[in-house]
Amino acid sequence: MENGRGKESVSITISKISRRFGDFQALDEVSLNIRDGEMVALLGPSGSGKTTLLRIIAGLDFPDRGDICFGDESVVDLGAKERGVGFVFQHYALFRHMKVFENIAFGLRVRPRATRPSEAEIGNRVRALLELVQLGWIADRFPNELSGGQRQRVALARALAIEPSVLLLDEPFGALDAKVRKELRRWLKRLNSDMKMTSVFVTHDQEEAMEVADRVVVMNQGRIEQIGTPAEIYGTPASPFVHEFLGDVNKIPCAISQGKAAHGGVDLAALRSLNGDGRGLAYVRPQDFSIEVTPKGNATVTGIHIVGHVLRVEAEAAGSHVEVELTGREAAGLTLAPGARILLTAVRGQIYPQH
Amino acid sequence: MVREDSVAVRFSLIGIALLVLGLFIVLPLATVFMEAFRKGIGFFWEALSDPVAIAAIQLTLLTAAIAVPLNCVFGVVAAWALTKFRFPGRSLIITLIDLPFSVSPVIAGLIYILMFGRQGYFGPWLMENDIKIIFAVPGIVIATVFVTFPFVARELIPLMQEQGTEEEEAAISLGASGLRTFWHVTLPNIKWGLLYGVLLCNARAMGEFGAVSVVSGHIRGLTNTMPLHIEILYNEYDFVAAFAVASLLALLALVTLVLKGLLEWKMAEGKKA
């Protein structure tokens, strides 16, 4: 979409933001840089502070301490009205008594007379936005006559109408059914790469964050656990929390001595280990094992399930219950049955010290 | 579902309900109109065009014309503040708004006698400055405002609570001012509820007897509202005149009922949205 006023999208710099609600520390010294044109996901469980952070970026809430800059300009003292941010609410918050057209035109109509477009121009802009969100035929309906996915897109068109420098979305796909959600995700991703607009969205769904975002910010208990590309976050999680939050993981207790982790049933030699001695917990994803069927193995197969194209093997390894996922090709050469002795080797994973 | 065997039960229940309704509501209401017109339309008209009756009608209209808009503004402001913001003491205020409902109207009247009466807290000061509140129009208006205070606020608080603040936040983030947001987003969303509250508030303002009776002093042609005037006429055995004025209040009640029904239907429509 062309930017009529030529308003550029901007980078966002968040420095040491804290926010407390009564006894609850919603955000604790959070710092984050979001690049110009980037699409960032704030990912975390409920209560992690992600929505509070989004609302603070929007100017709908204010930090107790800390600063926010759009580009080089501090906006921390500006309210939502002055920030020029496009905000898409979780439940869309469409004006229920206005038709779709008026909903989208609202942001243009409330401008001061000097910068308000003419009626004809508003009409053109709204129609262009409706085209953009592929809802050209819907202008004369009321919000309650639309499906969830349509409302979502109208809310997006309304937010884009003010030519925001930043687009913020709160759980944008949370209230939609699975199929619509998938479609909208791809569509939003495409829209973002076409428009090159700095966008931040909140989600608790790791798959959604992985698919749509350029970078993912994982949050927990008011702090940022890790910032990285989806591949980085998934491949090299920075903490046990991130490891666990992004997909299934086996937690295998082990003993560490002289930088080597050992477990009676699983070979952990390939894992990057810690210095020093003590007890540790090895985090290994189900697909990061290799299996060899051999009587020398220290693990026993206890169950086998075929789930779509993967074979899920459950095993008992020296007191630990381990879940392994094999692709069809990996499983092809193996004769697995409950009771079979296997050698389990962790190919990839992380060892965290246990206190 | 139980259907076939309950016909008798159903009809007798409906019958009882209709009987009670007829006996306690329809019959008295019809009596009011029958009594009012018993000596013909001439007497009816005469009773209403009596200067004292006209003064009572005017005072009632004046009182409602002041109390209803005041409580409308109070109600909207209170509901707005209580539902769109969180602050300490919020639930205490919500409880306090209901106070006029839980207090007997007579007590409400007495409170103002205690405050503004000759022996009241502000009595001497008011006398010195020659301001009359008790046994005068201001007292009647104040008492009416007190008694009808909760109607609008009570109607709006649950409605606005249910609607939440997202639409307002959306308007602000799109660049609208607070006033504009209220005018173009909040008000259209609450308009039917507001009208409903105003309607009930008006019906009560015009019909209030107890509180007004205490502070009015019953000065004919000066401080008598319609309900007070009806009581005086009745006590003087002037039944036709009493019922003639009463029929006006009864008519108001009927109009209120019809409008209330219409508004409830409108609000149900709105809720589907």
Side-chain angles (χ1 to χ4, degrees):
Chain A
M1 191 184 77
E2 90 285 348
N3 264 350
R5 267 192 303 172
K7 197 166 177 181
E8 298 289 315
S9 91
V10 296
S11 62
I12 304 171
T13 311
I14 294 161
S15 12
K16 295 198 164 181
I17 291 273
S18 292
R19 178 74 169 105
R20 176 179 273 280
F21 298 107
D23 289 338
F24 179 63
Q25 188 78 45
L27 290 174
D28 189 8
E29 302 232 322
V30 167
S31 298
L32 174 63
N33 287 307
I34 297 167
R35 297 179 205 119
D36 183 0
E38 188 177 34
M39 185 136 192
V40 166
L42 303 179
L43 174 68
S46 59
S48 60
K50 56 195 194 305
T51 298
T52 306
L53 183 59
L54 192 78
R55 289 173 59 84
I56 284 176
I57 299 173
L60 293 168
D61 196 357
F62 295 91
D64 303 326
R65 283 192 310 279
D67 196 17
I68 309 172
C69 295
F70 287 180
D72 302 325
E73 210 180 320
S74 172
V75 295
V76 76
D77 294 323
L78 299 181
K81 179 178 181 296
E82 283 84 28
R83 284 202 198 173
V85 161
F87 199 100
V88 178
F89 289 82
Q90 185 175 5
H91 303 289
Y92 323 129
L94 296 176
F95 305 129
R96 67 192 87 186
H97 64 279
M98 292 183 203
K99 288 182 174 169
V100 166
F101 184 97
E102 286 305 316
N103 260 285
I104 299 173
F106 186 87
L108 300 172
R109 290 200 198 284
V110 298
R111 279 193 194 163
R113 201 170 299 260
T115 56
R116 194 187 309 155
S118 70
E119 199 54 37
E121 215 174 306
I122 289 176
N124 287 336
R125 284 270 275 287
V126 172
R127 274 187 290 279
L129 282 162
L130 277 168
E131 281 314 313
L132 180 77
V133 298
Q134 302 160 339
L135 290 172
W137 41 283
I138 229 166
D140 279 333
R141 301 223 188 146
F142 281 101
N144 64 334
E145 298 167 319
L146 308 180
S147 72
Q150 290 169 337
R151 283 181 210 188
Q152 172 67 278
R153 284 185 280 168
V154 172
L156 191 62
R158 182 177 69 174
L160 292 174
I162 63 168
E163 291 160 338
S165 49
V166 172
L167 183 64
L168 306 175
L169 307 101
D170 187 5
E171 296 273 0
F173 314 108
L176 302 170
D177 61 64
K179 187 166 171 288
V180 180
R181 195 183 309 179
K182 251 190 181 147
E183 268 174 41
L184 264 183
R185 261 192 224 163
R186 297 216 178 99
W187 177 81
L188 185 68
K189 175 95 182 155
R190 223 175 323 123
L191 190 74
N192 177 259
S193 57
D194 290 350
M195 289 177 29
K196 289 269 166 265
M197 179 181 290
T198 313
S199 310
V200 184
F201 72 99
V202 155
T203 180
H204 62 265
D205 179 341
Q206 38 104 1
E207 199 185 316
E208 194 170 293
M210 295 293 183
E211 186 176 332
V212 182
D214 300 323
R215 283 197 303 158
V216 178
V217 177
V218 184
M219 296 187 70
N220 183 34
Q221 295 181 341
R223 294 204 186 85
I224 292 178
E225 293 270 342
Q226 188 172 9
I227 307 172
T229 63
E232 283 167 0
I233 297 265
Y234 192 79
T236 50
S239 67
F241 172 81
V242 178
H243 220 133
E244 236 176 309
F245 196 70
L246 292 160
D248 296 333
V249 70
N250 289 292
K251 288 185 273 186
I252 304 163
C254 53
I256 307 166
S257 76
Q258 294 166 351
K260 290 269 181 224
H263 180 268
V266 185
D267 182 356
L268 299 172
L271 304 192
R272 189 165 59 99
S273 191
L274 302 153
N275 294 322
D277 299 347
R279 299 206 57 76
L281 212 50
Y283 279 57
V284 184
R285 298 205 187 280
Q287 63 273 36
D288 291 340
F289 287 99
S290 74
I291 289 183
E292 194 187 326
V293 185
T294 157
K296 288 183 296 178
N298 289 332
T300 314
V301 176
T302 56
I304 296 174
H305 315 276
I306 297 168
V307 185
H309 57 282
V310 298
L311 187 70
R312 186 170 298 157
V313 181
E314 287 177 41
E316 189 70 32
S320 303
H321 178 79
V322 180
E323 251 181 48
V324 182
E325 272 178 21
L326 300 174
T327 61
R329 203 175 306 157
E330 284 170 331
L334 302 173
T335 45
L336 285 167
R341 303 289 291 174
I342 51 170
L343 194 65
L344 265 181
T345 309
V347 187
R348 224 150 51 116
Q350 193 96 20
I351 294 166
Y352 300 100
Q354 206 179 19
H355 305 292
Chain B
M1 295 297 286
V2 197
R3 193 158 277 177
E4 296 302 319
D5 56 348
S6 64
V7 170
V9 177
R10 240 186 330 149
F11 275 98
S12 50
L13 280 179
I14 291 173
I16 291 169
L18 282 179
L19 193 74
V20 171
L21 201 69
L23 215 59
F24 288 96
I25 294 182
V26 178
L27 193 64
L29 196 65
T31 312
V32 171
F33 287 101
M34 264 151 46
E35 288 292 324
F37 288 101
R38 199 162 60 168
K39 291 189 184 165
I41 195 138
F43 272 90
F44 175 80
W45 195 245
E46 202 176 299
L48 287 187
S49 47
D50 176 35
V52 178
I54 289 176
I57 294 169
Q58 280 174 339
L59 182 57
T60 295
L61 291 177
L62 176 73
T63 306
I66 297 170
V68 173
L70 260 182
N71 277 337
C72 182
V73 173
F74 281 156
V76 171
V77 170
W80 166 276
L82 288 169
T83 55
K84 309 281 173 186
F85 303 96
R86 310 259 138 208
F87 51 89
R90 196 174 145 271
S91 43
L92 183 72
I93 295 178
I94 293 183
T95 315
L96 271 181
I97 284 178
D98 273 350
L99 184 72
F101 274 176
S102 50
V103 159
S104 158
V106 177
I107 310 285
L110 283 174
I111 293 168
Y112 289 107
I113 299 267
L114 272 178
M115 281 174 65
F116 303 123
R118 197 173 292 196
Q119 270 84 44
Y121 297 124
F122 302 103
W125 184 84
L126 290 171
M127 293 248 283
E128 259 168 49
N129 292 280
D130 202 24
I131 302 171
K132 294 199 79 163
I133 292 183
I134 299 305
F135 305 147
V137 175
I140 293 172
V141 173
I142 290 173
T144 307
V145 168
F146 177 83
V147 170
T148 58
F149 184 75
F151 283 101
V152 174
R154 258 178 83 108
E155 195 54 48
L156 292 184
I157 287 170
L159 183 68
M160 287 167 90
Q161 213 140 36
E162 186 193 308
Q163 288 177 350
T165 52
E166 272 205 343
E167 284 184 47
E168 279 81 5
E169 286 181 343
I172 300 277
S173 79
L174 290 168
S177 63
L179 193 67
R180 182 146 192 149
T181 301
F182 174 76
W183 216 246
H184 285 94
V185 176
T186 308
L187 202 58
N189 281 348
I190 61 169
K191 63 184 171 196
W192 299 119
L194 180 61
L195 270 177
Y196 188 90
V198 164
L199 188 75
L200 295 183
C201 180
N202 181 59
R204 182 68 188 268
M206 291 191 171
E208 174 56 24
F209 180 83
V212 169
S213 172
V214 175
V215 297
S216 134
H218 305 270
I219 307 164
R220 276 188 204 215
L222 281 180
T223 64
N224 262 351
T225 59
M226 284 165 78
L228 301 184
H229 184 60
I230 294 167
E231 194 210 13
I232 290 179
L233 290 172
Y234 187 83
N235 287 343
E236 291 170 350
Y237 302 104
D238 193 351
F239 294 134
V240 172
F243 279 108
V245 182
S247 70
L248 281 189
L249 279 183
L251 197 67
L252 170 77
L254 288 177
V255 171
T256 303
L257 269 184
V258 171
L259 289 178
K260 185 168 162 285
L262 274 177
L263 283 176
E264 272 164 4
W265 175 72
K266 267 282 177 197
M267 281 197 284
E269 287 278 288
K271 199 155 278 178
K272 271 187 246 159

